[in-house]
């Protein structure tokens, strides 16, 4: 296990040295990767390496490979999807291409991204997983209770404290400690997609400053 971590970290550094002129993101990704043992056991090193490779190929003017890799990373962990709007902005900001060509380019990149999403599913299906098992695996994280380490979970815990005088008991399910369903007030779907709001605001501000990228 230690050798695998060392090997993947070495690959991180190697890819970083290759793409350094394009974007210096190694520090950010490595902080995430080494944030704790839980991260190491949840494929963060592998996913961050794939993301880094995606940026590398984008910087080398190979957007197809970049989007395929981003799709593969997204199929493993959902958070690489947050980088997709950034690539879209990079395509749309150019003034040398007409709108029709930009839309054609976006359609092509979407095909590459979807291909990357499908590749791990095809591999797992080839190794014997049934369609039902794959669907259950994809739905696993959406069934987790509201995490106590997240911002919504902390707010709900404080509300329970001020309302009833005590913090809610932890509710263990699907590999995490979260809040009991009765203290969440809203459905899990709301909390699962709450992140869309700040991400939208971030990329809206980034789009307004797209010419400075």
């Amino acid at each position: 296990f230690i050798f695998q971590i060392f090997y993947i970290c070495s690959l991180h550094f190697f890819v970083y040295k290759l793409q350094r002129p394009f974007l210096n993101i190694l520090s950010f990704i490595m902080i995430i990767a080494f944030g704790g043992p839980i991260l190491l056991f949840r494929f963060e090193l592998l996913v961050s390496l794939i993301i880094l490779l995606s940026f590398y190929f984008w910087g080398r003017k190979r957007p197809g490979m970049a989007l395929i890799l981003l799709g593969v990373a997204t199929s493993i962990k959902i958070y690489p999807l947050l980088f997709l709007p950034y690539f879209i902005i990079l395509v749309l900001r150019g003034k040398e291409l007409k709108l029709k060509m930009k839309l054609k380019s976006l359609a092509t990149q979407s095909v590459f991204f979807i291909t990357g999403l499908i590749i791990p599913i095809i591999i797992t299906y080839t190794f014997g997983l049934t369609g039902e098992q794959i669907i259950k695996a994809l739905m696993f994280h959406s069934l987790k209770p509201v995490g106590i380490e997240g911002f919504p979970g902390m707010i709900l815990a404080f509300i329970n404290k001020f309302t009833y005088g005590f913090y809610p008991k932890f509710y263990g399910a699907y590999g995490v400690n979260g809040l009991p369903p009765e203290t969440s007030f809203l459905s899990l779907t709301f909390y699962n997609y709450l992140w869309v709001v700040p991400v939208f605001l971030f990329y809206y501000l980034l789009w307004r400053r797209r010419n400075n990228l």
Side-chain angles (χ1 to χ4, degrees):
F1 176 72
I2 294 176
F3 173 76
Q4 290 176 340
I5 293 177
F6 175 77
Y7 177 69
I8 295 179
C9 288
S10 300
L11 287 177
H12 274 75
F13 182 75
F14 175 72
V15 175
Y16 161 72
K17 295 294 289 186
L18 289 176
Q19 61 84 55
R20 191 173 185 176
F22 171 61
L23 185 63
N24 186 354
I25 60 172
L26 178 71
S27 300
F28 172 73
I29 289 182
M30 294 303 283
I31 288 172
I32 294 177
F34 287 101
I38 293 179
L39 294 177
L40 293 177
F41 283 104
R42 293 185 179 178
F43 309 106
E44 302 301 336
L45 281 171
L46 175 62
V47 173
S48 62
L49 173 61
I50 298 174
I51 293 172
L52 196 61
L53 285 169
S54 177
F55 277 95
Y56 166 74
F57 282 109
W58 186 276
R60 292 298 183 270
K61 310 300 182 183
R62 297 182 62 183
M65 180 60 69
L67 269 298
I68 288 176
L69 288 171
L70 187 66
V72 171
T74 303
S75 69
I76 300 173
K77 301 287 284 189
I78 189 62
Y79 73 82
L81 182 64
L82 302 178
F83 293 102
L84 183 60
Y86 179 72
F87 287 126
I88 294 175
I89 291 175
L90 291 180
V91 172
L92 295 178
R93 68 167 182 158
K95 297 181 179 180
E96 63 277 4
L97 295 178
K98 294 182 179 180
L99 179 60
K100 184 176 180 180
M101 292 300 297
K102 291 179 180 179
L103 294 178
K104 184 178 179 180
S105 177
L106 282 179
T108 303
Q109 307 313 325
S110 298
V111 172
F112 285 121
F113 179 74
I114 294 172
T115 301
L117 284 174
I118 295 175
I119 287 175
I121 297 176
I122 294 176
I123 293 174
T124 54
Y125 186 79
T126 303
F127 278 92
L129 265 70
T130 65
E132 182 180 356
Q133 289 174 320
I134 294 174
I135 293 175
K136 285 183 177 180
L138 293 174
M139 295 295 296
F140 179 81
H141 293 288
S142 65
L143 299 175
K144 292 180 177 180
V146 180
I148 57 176
E149 75 281 1
F151 181 73
M154 289 189 295
I155 295 298
L156 292 173
F158 281 124
I159 290 176
N160 196 92
K161 171 66 175 179
F162 288 121
T163 303
Y164 302 106
F166 57 88
Y167 291 107
K169 294 183 178 180
F170 295 153
Y171 172 70
Y174 298 95
V176 299
N177 283 322
L179 297 176
E182 60 271 15
T183 63
S184 300
F185 299 110
L186 301 172
S187 67
L188 281 178
T189 303
F190 172 81
Y191 298 104
N192 286 336
Y193 295 99
L194 184 61
W195 58 270
V196 174
V197 177
V199 170
F200 173 81
L201 293 175
F202 170 79
Y203 278 111
Y204 171 74
L205 295 175
L206 192 65
W207 171 254
R208 296 191 61 177
R209 295 167 174 78
R210 60 189 179 279
N211 294 328
N212 297 326
L213 295 176

